[in-house]
């Protein structure tokens, strides 16, 4: 099934006009909740990436259970143009601190050590080390982080973040707890990382509701070598697409992952959940050169004529509910995979089962058909 965006783009008028991108479902697979793998309970998968140098997939778990520490998994994942096999988990390793000790599980955490809430992961070119993000441990005084580790989980370094990304004692400014560095994209040359917040900072606007989109959230380009911020764009997430079906429980929508599509574009995954109605997801494409640079802005004012910035426009690639993959789970990761035999580009999505018996780790493979140039209209002779 081909899912395309209805963008309303002008056709045949400008050389840069494009036909919308589209997705075609390849297949789905799942690993049941509670599955024991290599001495661990598999689950909590919030990030995924593929290493072409060694033909292996990397999965990162955001498990913050009382007993299991933060960890990664390696896997093999095979597909054809019409079928996705269930991934085979080939290895696991704990993420380690600079001291060499694994990060602690919450029950055993010392006061001066954070318990990571891992959310996104990307191999650096060559597949020897990877970058990953943590949403932080606000309850224990730690803000979000991004770090580099080796393929065996060993520490390499922690990269700096601007002060504004940190925890504010009164929580009246800055990122909201459990809604910080949810997405991580790496430029094709590996030199620039894009760090995406899940929702707007407190001073930038509200969370989305079924009645209204959320305030603008920040997506920041960072120099991988130095950690220096390069540029920041504002992105407005949709309103929550479904109202909850029970009188209590969450209604939320935010960015759960970003993925580079060439040097100047990002694919942005918006994931929503409404109690009783379940999960939904939409994939958008943005041009990172569009919109204004918001790095120097303490607060993003989006009030009409008084707005102090221009948010980046977004083009809908697909509503994943319409893919034909069945009910969606909690999609939190996406990555490029090896191309199909005919050259088609492949994206693999993965879900975080939250170690909930009612969920599963869902894998969805799709063929991505990028936007195609539309010829300019030529005047009649």
């Amino acid at each position: 099934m081909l899912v395309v965006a209805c963008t309303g783009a002008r056709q045949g008028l400008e050389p840069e006009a494009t036909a919308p991108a589209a997705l075609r479902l390849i297949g789905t697979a799942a690993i049941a909740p509670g599955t024991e793998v290599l001495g661990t309970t598999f689950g909590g998968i919030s990030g995924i990436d593929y290493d072409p140098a060694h033909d292996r997939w990397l999965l990162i778990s955001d498990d913050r259970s009382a007993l299991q520490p933060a960890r990664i998994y390696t896997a093999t994942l095979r597909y054809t143009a019409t079928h996705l096999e269930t991934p085979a988990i080939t290895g696991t390793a704990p993420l380690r601190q600079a001291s060499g000790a694994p990060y602690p599980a919450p029950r055993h955490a010392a006061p001066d050590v954070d318990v990571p809430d891992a959310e996104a992961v990307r191999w650096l070119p060559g597949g020897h080390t990877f970058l990953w993000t943590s949403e932080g441990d606000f309850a224990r005084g730690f803000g979000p982080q991004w770090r580099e580790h080796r393929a065996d989980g060993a520490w390499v370094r922690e990269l700096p973040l601007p002060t504004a990304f940190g925890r504010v004692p009164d929580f009246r400014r800055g990122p909201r707890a459990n809604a910080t560095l949810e997405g991580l994209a790496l430029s094709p040359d590996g030199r620039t990382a894009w760090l995406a917040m899940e929702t707007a900072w407190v001073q930038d606007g509200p969370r989305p509701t079924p009645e209204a989109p959320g305030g603008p959230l920040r997506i920041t380009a960072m120099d991988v070598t130095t950690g220096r911020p390069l540029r920041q764009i504002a992105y407005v997430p949709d309103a929550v697409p479904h109202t909850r079906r029970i009188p209590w429980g969450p209604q939320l929508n935010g960015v759960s992952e970003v993925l580079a599509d060439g040097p100047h574009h990002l694919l942005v995954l918006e994931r929503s959940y409404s109690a009783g109605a379940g999960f939904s997801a939409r994939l958008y494409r943005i041009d990172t050169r569009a919109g204004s640079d918001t790095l120097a802005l303490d607060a993003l004012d989006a009030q009409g004529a008084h707005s102090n910035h221009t948010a980046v426009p977004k083009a809908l690639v697909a509503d994943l509910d319409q893919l034909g993959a069945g009910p969606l789970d909690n999609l939190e990761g996406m990555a490029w995979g090896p191309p199909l035999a005919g050259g088609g580009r492949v994206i693999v999505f993965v879900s975080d089962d939250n170690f909930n018996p009612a969920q599963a780790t869902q894998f969805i493979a799709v063929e991505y058909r990028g936007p195609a140039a539309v010829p300019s209209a030529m005047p009649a002779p």
Side-chain angles (χ1 to χ4, degrees):
M1 179 180 184
L2 190 67
V3 182
V4 301
C6 298
T7 63
R10 294 170 292 175
Q11 296 188 11
L13 298 178
E14 302 156 343
E16 65 270 20
T18 58
L23 300 182
R24 179 188 66 83
L25 179 66
I26 291 173
T28 66
I31 296 177
T35 299
E36 294 297 315
V37 175
L38 302 173
T40 70
T41 302
F42 184 81
I45 304 302
S46 294
I48 183 172
D49 206 32
Y50 176 68
D51 169 22
H54 302 93
D55 187 25
R56 59 182 172 178
W57 292 81
L58 183 66
L59 307 168
I60 196 164
S61 174
D62 70 354
D63 184 8
R64 288 170 56 85
S65 68
L67 299 176
Q68 297 187 111
R71 59 195 179 278
I72 53 172
Y73 294 93
T74 53
T76 58
L77 192 156
R78 308 297 185 201
Y79 45 77
T80 66
T82 57
H83 176 71
L84 171 66
E85 296 180 6
T86 301
I89 308 304
T90 57
T92 186
L95 292 168
R96 297 184 179 276
Q97 306 170 56
S99 67
Y103 283 100
R107 184 178 296 177
H108 303 122
D112 59 344
V113 179
D114 69 296
V115 178
D117 185 2
E119 291 296 344
V121 66
R122 296 292 173 209
W123 288 109
L124 287 170
H128 300 295
T129 65
F130 58 86
L131 299 174
W132 63 285
T133 66
S134 169
E135 286 199 290
D137 189 2
F138 279 42
R140 305 181 69 248
F142 295 91
Q145 305 99 11
W146 66 309
R147 293 164 170 153
E148 182 180 355
H149 280 232
R150 294 192 178 92
D152 62 359
W155 169 283
V156 176
R157 59 175 175 151
E158 180 161 349
L159 291 93
L161 284 170
T163 303
F165 283 60
R167 174 182 178 271
V168 176
D170 61 8
F171 296 104
R172 294 181 181 179
R173 305 188 73 74
R176 292 175 162 94
N178 201 37
T180 67
L181 296 184
E182 190 79 14
L184 169 63
L186 197 62
S187 62
D189 62 9
R191 299 171 62 182
T192 303
W194 287 91
L195 304 180
M197 290 285 163
E198 183 176 0
T199 61
W201 289 356
V202 174
Q203 72 269 28
D204 292 341
R207 298 175 187 264
T209 69
E211 292 74 35
L217 60 87
R218 301 183 188 229
I219 305 177
T220 310
M222 308 289 289
D223 184 284
V224 170
T225 300
T226 65
R228 181 173 63 89
L230 303 172
R231 174 173 164 78
Q232 186 182 84
I233 52 180
Y235 177 95
V236 179
D238 292 347
V240 179
H242 303 294
T243 302
R244 61 189 173 205
R245 296 179 181 173
I246 56 179
W248 52 269
Q251 303 178 110
L252 55 87
N253 183 57
V255 169
S256 65
E257 188 59 284
V258 289
L259 183 64
D261 182 17
H264 302 302
H265 293 83
L266 293 178
L267 299 178
V268 181
L269 180 63
E270 294 190 26
R271 177 273 326 270
S272 65
Y273 175 75
S274 294
F279 294 98
S280 296
R282 293 175 179 175
L283 187 66
Y284 287 93
R285 188 174 189 264
I286 63 172
D287 187 330
T288 58
R289 298 165 295 183
S292 51
D293 187 348
T294 60
L295 262 177
L297 297 180
D298 177 66
L300 302 182
D301 182 354
Q303 300 304 312
H306 301 290
S307 175
N308 62 358
H309 70 283
T310 300
V312 63
K314 61 184 189 180
L316 180 65
V317 175
D319 182 338
L320 272 65
D321 287 314
Q322 300 176 14
L323 269 180
L328 298 180
D329 212 295
N330 180 28
L331 296 180
E332 291 207 357
M334 62 176 173
W336 296 111
L340 297 172
R345 301 170 71 194
V346 175
I347 299 173
V348 175
F349 299 93
V350 68
S351 73
D352 177 355
D353 68 356
N354 295 308
F355 297 92
N356 182 345
Q359 295 179 244
T361 302
Q362 180 182 50
F363 295 85
I364 301 174
V366 301
E367 181 181 4
Y368 173 73
R369 298 175 179 175
V374 177
S376 302
M378 299 296 292

